[in-house]
Amino acid sequence: MDVVQLLVSGLANGCVYGLVALGFVLIYKATEAVNFAQGDLMMLGAFVTLGLVNPQYLGIPFWLALPLALLIMAAIGYLIDATILRAVFGESQTSVIILTIALGFVIRFVVGVIWGHDPQSLHSPLAGGELRFGGVVLSVADLAVIITTLLLTFFLFQFFQRTRIGLAMQAASQNQMAAYYMGIPVKRVQGLVWALAGVVAAVAGVLYASKGAIDPNAGFIGIKAFAAAVIGGFGSLPGALFGGIIVGVIEPFAARYLPPGYSQIAPYALLILVLVFRPHGLFAQVRTKKV
């Protein structure tokens, strides 16, 4: 039963990593850029919701504040692309990586100035409740994380495979100039991708904050989520989910059965092994780039 409890706990945490990893993959699938500020966008989404919901701030009912928070994060994602990313449009991926790393520091600073650096708890109806299945305990927040992650991964996969805008996003990532000449508004498409990544980050942030207290350093979860995206196969939406689950499950088992401290390095040890023996990831969708 102890093993089952560890598995359930790891699955819930892994789904949070998977949600953040989905944001990495969304940006990469549409722009071939890596957004290292995705974890900080998740943290910002959590604090935006906290600012709308908690009584010491605006005190809006949770289910009214949630769609408003999603809209705010979509707007923030779009504005980041329109005002910052377009300034380096056409530059190397290294420039974008450095820019997003700096953006993450700025987001953490702004959140610290507005909400402070002390841990805070989101007043969420998902927090606190528990479900028991025999000797296994599953919190309502964990169940919400698992269900939301599975549904979101499915709908995003269908979006990229079956909708015109999803196919346009992938075409723009393959060859921006060719996509432009084919009538695809490349800059607008990229703005929509960043808006969508902002929404996914907000969903991840709300679910993460429902599981426990948050502070501006919560954005560093993006490092583990990046490892999850690489392990699963960068560019694969199902791979991001499975990579997150793998990382999430490894941690509690390493903490339980390995010497102290090994749980922190276990995901990165796996990352090294994957990069050595399967560089494209465990669930990679390898494709030839069209030029």
Side-chain angles (χ1 to χ4, degrees):
M1 195 62 68
D2 185 41
V3 172
V4 177
Q5 185 65 64
L6 290 174
L7 187 62
V8 170
S9 175
L11 179 63
N13 289 334
C15 284
V16 174
Y17 299 148
L19 276 175
V20 182
L22 284 177
F24 280 106
V25 173
L26 282 173
I27 298 294
Y28 184 79
K29 281 180 74 72
T31 67
E32 289 201 330
V34 180
N35 173 27
F36 277 99
Q38 188 65 29
D40 297 292
L41 286 175
M42 180 219 74
M43 176 269 297
L44 178 60
F47 271 100
V48 167
T49 309
L50 183 147
L52 293 172
V53 172
N54 283 18
Q56 67 267 37
Y57 299 112
L58 294 182
I60 300 174
F62 179 84
W63 296 113
L64 292 178
L66 182 58
L68 181 57
L70 298 182
L71 287 174
I72 291 172
M73 289 303 299
I76 289 174
Y78 187 88
L79 288 173
I80 287 174
D81 176 71
T83 60
I84 300 176
L85 271 298
R86 289 183 192 178
V88 295
F89 187 79
E91 299 292 333
S92 67
Q93 291 187 20
T94 303
S95 300
V96 177
I97 288 173
I98 294 172
L99 187 61
T100 56
I101 291 174
L103 178 62
F105 281 99
V106 171
I107 291 174
R108 287 194 292 275
F109 173 78
V110 171
V111 168
V113 169
I114 297 175
W115 286 282
H117 295 275
D118 295 328
Q120 299 188 53
S121 297
L122 173 67
H123 289 212
S124 167
L126 302 176
E130 289 184 347
L131 302 173
R132 292 184 177 273
F133 304 92
V136 178
V137 178
L138 178 65
S139 71
V140 174
D142 286 343
L143 181 62
V145 167
I146 294 169
I147 293 174
T148 302
T149 303
L150 291 174
L151 290 176
L152 197 54
T153 303
F154 173 77
F155 284 119
L156 288 174
F157 182 79
Q158 296 298 317
F159 171 77
F160 273 102
Q161 295 298 318
R162 299 182 183 277
T163 67
R164 293 182 63 184
I165 186 66
L167 294 173
M169 289 175 178
Q170 295 187 74
S173 74
Q174 289 278 296
N175 190 315
Q176 292 180 350
M177 189 61 67
Y180 176 79
Y181 284 125
M182 290 294 293
I184 296 174
V186 175
K187 292 184 178 180
R188 187 182 304 170
V189 164
Q190 291 189 355
L192 290 175
V193 172
W194 276 86
L196 185 57
V199 170
V200 173
V203 172
V206 171
L207 293 173
Y208 180 78
S210 297
K211 288 166 57 66
I214 55 170
D215 60 59
N217 289 326
F220 285 115
I221 194 179
I223 299 174
K224 290 182 181 179
F226 177 74
V230 175
I231 290 170
F234 223 88
S236 168
L237 290 168
L241 171 59
F242 286 115
I245 291 174
I246 290 170
V247 170
V249 168
I250 282 176
E251 286 185 320
F253 278 92
R256 177 68 174 81
Y257 296 108
L258 295 180
Y262 278 74
S263 63
Q264 297 300 316
I265 67 168
Y268 308 110
L270 176 61
L271 173 62
I272 292 172
L273 290 174
V274 170
L275 290 175
V276 170
F277 294 104
R278 193 174 174 84
H280 294 291
L282 298 178
F283 307 94
Q285 296 174 336
V286 181
R287 60 184 182 180
T288 303
K289 186 173 181 178
K290 302 175 178 62
V291 295

